[in-house]
Amino acid sequence: MTRVGILTGGGDCPGLNAVIRGVVRKASQNNIIVVGIKDGWKGLVQNIASDIAPDSVDDILQKGGTILGTSRTNPYKNPEDVAKVIENYKKMKLDALVAIGGEDTLGVANKLSKENKGLNIVAVPKTIDNDISATDFTFGFNTAVEVATEAIDRLHTTAESHHRVMVVEIMGRHAGWITLYAGIAGGANLILIPEIKMDIDEICTSLKRRKACGKAYSIVAVSEGATFKEGQFATQEKELDSFGHVRLGGIGEMLAGEIEKRTKIETRYAVLGHIQRGGSPSSFDRVLSTRFGVKAMELVLEKRFGFMVSLRGTNVAAVPIQEGVGTLKTVDMKLYDTAKTFFD
Ligand code: F6P
C-alpha cells in the first residue's frame, strides 16, 4: 500500500477538509502518499490529480468547503467515462481510493466496488441533508442546523415587531432533517417537511388560530422539498442534474404568497440556501469528520474495501457501502411528534 487517492463529490459541506486532514495524517504515519483528485469523479474521468503534501493539511480543519473541489459528475452517464475512471485509477498508480460524498457519489462508489473492476474503495458519507442510511449522522448536518437555527432566532424578532408570519425555506432535498432540528431548536410554530404532505387549509387555520388567541406573529419552517397534498398545487417541472435530481427551491415564496392571500396576515419569506452549506464546521462536525477520516484510512490499511465509515451511537463503525445507498434516510417520526406538541 503506497498510494491512496481521495476525492470529494456532490454538494460541498462543512467538515470535508477535516476528513481530508484525517486521511492524510493517518496515511503519512504509515508512509502512504495521498493523491488528491480534483472535483470528484470528474478528476478521475479527466485524470486531474496531485499528491497532497502532509504539511499542507495542517491548517484546514476549520475551513469550510473542500480543498479538492467538487462536482456533480456521474461517470455512469457515459460508459466511456467509467472506462476512463478505471484507466486513470491505474495511471495514478492507486492502491485504494477514499470517496467522500452523499448518496450520488457513494452510489457510484458502490457500483464500482461491486462491478469488481480492480478499484479498492472505502467511502465516507457526507451531506448537510443527513439523509444517508446506515449512519446516525453525517458531518455537515450539525453545522447546517446551527446556521438555520440562528436564522430562525433572528426571524423571531423581526416577525414579532411587525406582527407578521415569516416563512423560512430550509435545504435538505427530500428529507426534512435540517428543517425539523432547526425548527425545534429555533422554536418555529409550524414545521413542514417532505415526509408529510402539506395541507394549505390546515396551515392557514393554525396561523389564524394563533392570531385569534393573541399570538401576534408566527414562524413557519419549510423544507425546500416539501410538497402540497394532491390536488392543491402542481409541482413545477424543472431541469434535472446528471444524477437525475431536480433543483429545488421556491416553496418558501409560494407558501408565503398563499398564506398571505388566504389569511390576510402580512407574510414574508426568507430562503437560507447555500448559506447553510458554507463556512466553518461546528465543533461537533470537526470531531465527527476527524474520526471519519482517520477511520477511513484504517479501513484502507485493513483492506476492508467496499465499506463505508458510519456513526453508530457513539462509535465509528464500518458498514457495506450498499447499506448507505440503498434507501434514503427520512426523518424520525417520533421526533416530529415531539415537534408537533408546540404547534397551535
Ligand atoms: O445535498 C445538499 C444540498 O445542499 C441540498 O440540500 C440542496 O437541495 C442541494 O444540495 C443544492 O445543490 P446545488 O449546490 O447544486 O444547488
Side-chain angles (χ1 to χ4, degrees):
M1 190 73 59
T2 55
R3 285 170 71 77
V4 172
I6 186 168
L7 63 81
T8 54
D12 71 308
C13 88
L16 283 167
N17 287 324
V19 177
I20 296 167
R21 174 175 170 266
V23 168
V24 172
R25 182 74 175 193
K26 189 77 192 169
S28 79
Q29 286 170 351
N30 287 277
N31 301 315
I32 292 171
I33 293 165
V34 178
V35 182
I37 296 159
K38 276 296 280 176
D39 299 339
W41 295 112
K42 189 174 172 187
L44 260 184
V45 172
Q46 299 181 356
N47 194 13
I48 310 171
S50 53
D51 296 357
I52 302 178
D55 289 353
S56 69
V57 298
D58 282 353
D59 300 322
I60 63 171
L61 171 67
Q62 304 87 336
K63 201 174 181 294
T66 162
I67 56 161
L68 295 174
T70 186
S71 72
R72 293 199 188 278
T73 301
N74 177 6
Y76 279 93
K77 265 214 116 179
N78 303 307
E80 353 32 296
D81 284 351
V82 177
K84 282 184 200 155
V85 163
I86 297 161
E87 190 188 315
N88 288 326
Y89 177 94
K90 286 181 193 148
K91 271 194 194 153
M92 290 177 198
K93 297 193 172 21
L94 300 180
D95 300 300
L97 172 68
V98 176
I100 313 169
E103 50 153 344
D104 299 329
T105 307
L106 301 191
V108 173
N110 187 43
K111 265 190 175 177
L112 285 168
S113 288
K114 290 202 145 166
E115 284 170 6
N116 242 337
K117 291 185 166 144
L119 273 69
N120 298 323
I121 304 180
V122 163
V124 180
K126 72 83 233 192
T127 170
I128 61 164
D129 304 340
N130 197 38
D131 58 358
I132 298 180
S133 293
T135 183
D136 292 348
F137 288 105
T138 48
F139 64 88
F141 169 65
N142 179 270
T143 308
V145 169
E146 292 293 318
V147 172
T149 302
E150 201 209 324
I152 296 176
D153 286 349
R154 288 175 183 277
L155 293 173
H156 271 279
T157 58
T158 172
E160 185 176 14
S161 306
H162 287 265
H163 327 296
R164 282 172 175 160
V165 171
M166 284 294 323
V167 175
V168 53
E169 180 183 306
I170 295 172
M171 274 187 171
R173 241 200 254 278
H174 304 295
W177 289 105
I178 311 175
T179 310
L180 183 55
Y181 267 69
I184 294 173
N189 309 110
L190 275 180
I191 299 172
L192 307 169
I193 55 175
E195 289 82 351
I196 298 172
K197 292 269 181 198
M198 295 186 288
D199 183 327
I200 190 67
D201 301 320
E202 274 176 19
I203 293 168
C204 292
T205 306
S206 164
L207 295 171
K208 284 199 279 193
R209 199 163 41 226
R210 275 180 61 76
K211 191 156 177 104
C213 66
K215 295 174 180 173
Y217 78 99
S218 299
I219 304 286
V220 179
V222 61
S223 291
E224 60 175 2
T227 52
F228 288 100
K229 262 173 76 175
E230 214 166 299
Q232 290 198 326
F233 300 98
T235 323
Q236 266 175 281
E237 293 293 327
K238 289 187 180 171
E239 215 181 299
L240 303 181
D241 69 15
S242 81
F243 285 94
H245 299 298
V246 69
R247 192 184 297 163
L248 295 167
I251 194 70
E253 181 179 9
M254 183 185 182
L255 184 62
E258 280 305 314
I259 290 171
E260 187 167 86
K261 197 167 84 191
R262 291 164 184 250
T263 63
K264 310 284 181 256
I265 307 171
E266 195 177 25
T267 304
R268 297 284 191 272
Y269 70 92
V271 181
L272 303 185
H274 293 80
I275 293 167
Q276 295 156 102
R277 255 178 34 198
S280 273
S282 64
S283 48
F284 178 92
D285 280 338
R286 292 181 201 187
V287 174
L288 184 58
S289 307
T290 300
R291 295 177 79 192
F292 274 8
V294 171
K295 179 73 178 182
M297 200 57 218
E298 283 170 5
L299 294 183
V300 169
L301 291 166
E302 290 161 13
K303 298 193 167 55
R304 293 180 72 190
F305 304 124
F307 278 81
M308 171 185 108
V309 303
S310 122
L311 184 69
R312 294 296 210 184
T314 54
N315 293 326
V316 172
V319 294
I321 304 175
Q322 174 68 43
E323 284 185 25
V325 296
T327 43
L328 204 69
K329 186 182 73 186
T330 51
V331 303
D332 169 2
M333 282 303 157
K334 280 201 197 117
L335 185 60
Y336 186 74
D337 285 344
T338 304
K340 268 172 63 181
T341 316
F342 300 92
F343 298 177
D344 288 298

